[in-house]
Amino acid sequence: MLSEQIAALVQYGISSGLLPECEKIYTTNLLLDLFREDEYTEPETVPEESLENILKHLLDEACRRGIIEDSITYRDLFDTKIMNCLTPRPSQVQQTFWQKYQESPKAATDYFYKLSQDSDYIRRYRVCKDQKWKVDSEYGEIDITINLSKPEKDPKAIAAARNSKTAAYPKCQLCMENEGYAGRVNHPARENHRIIPITINGSRWGFQYSPYVYYNEHCIVLNGEHVPMKIDRAAFMKLFDFVRQFPHYFLGSNADLPIVGGSILSHDHFQGGNYTFAMAKAPIEIPVTIPGYEDVESGILKWPLSVLRIRHKDPERLIDLADHVLQEWRNYTDADAFIFAETDGEPHNTITPIARRKGDMYELDLTLRNNITTKEHPLGVFHPHAELHHIKKENIGLIEVMGLAVLPSRLKAEMAELKKFILAGKDPASDETLAKHADWVKAFLPRYSSVTEENIEHILQQEIGKVFVKVLEDAGVYKCTKEGREAFLKFVRTL
């Protein structure tokens, strides 16, 4: 059985292009060593199975032999070790990437993205389980996802992590030191992970893909040093340096303050990829002219968050203007619009920037953010308000800003149960888990003359989408109203 599955995995490696034929014996022996096995019999026929099934058989065998505990965390640590036996060394990956780059930047990223999937760093069979759909809105077609590709922690691993000593290596999950790291119960295995070193704005950076792939070719560009995120002139320079090198990708940054920032503020990084979000398609609603930058096409975007779009053929002009906008916004207060640059010495204003190329034009979207809190809104005034937390409570980061909802995995089970309650005419308030959705259901159900088993899924998807649009509107520092536009223009006039 073990010989057959090892043979199947090695054949997968050869067929996918991970392994050259000449490394067949070498890889077989690496795998035998992992399983503490001295004997091997070449099977007459190699079973044709998916990578997911091959790995399942091998992990079951590792559990049977007592090599690992049978839990999702330990299985993930071990299957990464298995796949590292097939994955080319970093130097080989880098060499091939830059050879492909000579053909075109897209050829290079196509190669690297496929390798990241073939090596199981991106687990295709988990990513495909994510629930995805689109919802029409007055701001364009919004993307909705319920993320199921990130595995839940199992109780054994949680207990083990609690009892394990705190490690300072790697410093975080974005550090370059993750490449090839075996992982532990409180840090994911990265043995089959590869990073392409790149130079951004004269400094050492890394280019990799996200293992969870929230959208097509979801990449992460990370600082070679473990330094905090910072939105400044240099950040704009880095964004444009990247899109100059990879013109088919956009690149953006989370904001650099808590609440409105990303999940990892301790390590400077950007996110990008080969995907067109609703925000990128949004038109300029109010063109504006900024003194000293009359040659730069500028305007307020028709978008629920407060976005100033600037466009020019010369990225240096956009960098200069973006820095000007940032400096003004950092220090801007308008009490009538409840915008405060700082309270009690704590700064509140920052920007979420997104850069892209469109033909010979460079484009930069500057999303104005503010993280002030109040007693009424302790998680943030410009954050999803409490009545929306049953769907989305988490921070609104770069990906959501652009129009893609990354919703928690709990919603899959909750929506499945909610369907049953609605079809049976039962009140969700009677169920402890579903009670938080009761007011929402009560509000939207009367809008539908007929709710059946055939349309309930579509109804829930549409209504979740509507909630997410409200989430985005809550995050906008200036609302899409007459008063909101006037307050936005009041800031623009300070430029």
Side-chain angles (χ1 to χ4, degrees), residues 387-403:
E387 67 271 16
L388 308 178
H389 288 178
H390 65 105
I391 297 295
K392 177 73 173 175
K393 184 179 182 179
E394 299 78 13
N395 291 358
I396 301 306
L398 171 68
I399 295 172
E400 283 93 356
V401 163
M402 295 185 293

Side-chain angles (χ1 to χ4, degrees), residues 250-388:
F250 78 88
L251 195 68
S253 176
N254 273 304
D256 55 355
L257 292 178
I259 297 177
V260 295
S263 56
I264 304 179
L265 294 177
S266 61
H267 194 120
D268 192 16
H269 70 285
F270 304 118
Q271 294 181 81
N274 189 7
Y275 189 71
T276 303
F277 290 86
M279 183 188 194
K281 301 175 189 174
I284 287 177
E285 183 179 10
I286 305 175
V288 299
T289 301
I290 299 170
Y293 298 92
E294 290 85 358
D295 57 319
V296 179
E297 183 184 340
S298 309
I300 294 171
L301 217 57
K302 182 176 172 56
W303 192 245
L305 283 98
S306 306
V307 184
L308 185 67
R309 174 170 292 166
I310 55 178
R311 305 180 78 236
H312 201 278
K313 289 185 178 181
D314 181 3
E316 292 299 322
R317 292 294 289 154
L318 299 183
I319 291 166
D320 288 344
L321 177 51
D323 187 44
H324 175 52
V325 173
L326 176 65
Q327 299 309 320
E328 289 297 320
W329 179 245
R330 289 275 195 205
N331 300 302
Y332 185 74
T333 291
D334 179 358
D336 292 338
F338 207 75
I339 305 294
F340 296 92
E342 59 87 23
T343 55
D344 300 322
E346 180 190 348
H348 296 305
N349 290 348
T350 186
I351 281 176
T352 299
I354 302 104
R356 63 184 77 88
R357 280 183 71 170
K358 287 190 174 178
D360 61 351
M361 295 288 284
Y362 286 87
E363 192 170 275
L364 184 64
D365 286 343
L366 300 170
T367 311
L368 307 181
R369 312 297 303 274
N370 180 288
N371 75 347
I372 196 167
T373 60
T374 61
K375 286 183 180 179
E376 184 186 0
H377 300 294
L379 296 182
V381 172
F382 305 109
H383 177 86
H385 291 175
E387 67 271 16
L388 308 178

Side-chain angles (χ1 to χ4, degrees), residues 1-14 19 23-43 45-47 49 51 53-59 61-62 65 67 78 82-83 85-86:
M1 175 68 176
L2 180 60
S3 292
E4 286 184 356
Q5 293 306 321
I6 285 178
L9 184 62
V10 172
Q11 185 55 52
Y12 163 82
I14 294 169
L19 287 176
E23 291 185 9
K24 179 178 179 180
I25 294 172
Y26 172 77
T27 306
T28 299
N29 288 332
L30 287 178
L31 292 165
L32 287 171
D33 182 57
L34 267 188
F35 283 87
R36 305 169 191 171
E37 178 59 66
D38 298 323
E39 299 292 333
Y40 177 76
T41 304
E42 183 73 28
T45 58
V46 177
E49 292 193 78
L51 177 61
N53 284 338
I54 296 168
L55 288 174
K56 181 184 182 304
H57 293 314
L58 288 170
L59 292 169
E61 182 65 17
R65 293 180 178 225
I67 297 171
F78 196 72
I82 290 171
M83 290 306 298
C85 295
L86 281 68

Side-chain angles (χ1 to χ4, degrees), residues 73-91:
T73 299
Y74 292 102
R75 289 170 79 98
D76 277 4
L77 288 169
F78 196 72
D79 77 356
T80 306
K81 195 178 292 290
I82 290 171
M83 290 306 298
N84 187 46
C85 295
L86 281 68
T87 307
R89 295 287 288 252
S91 61

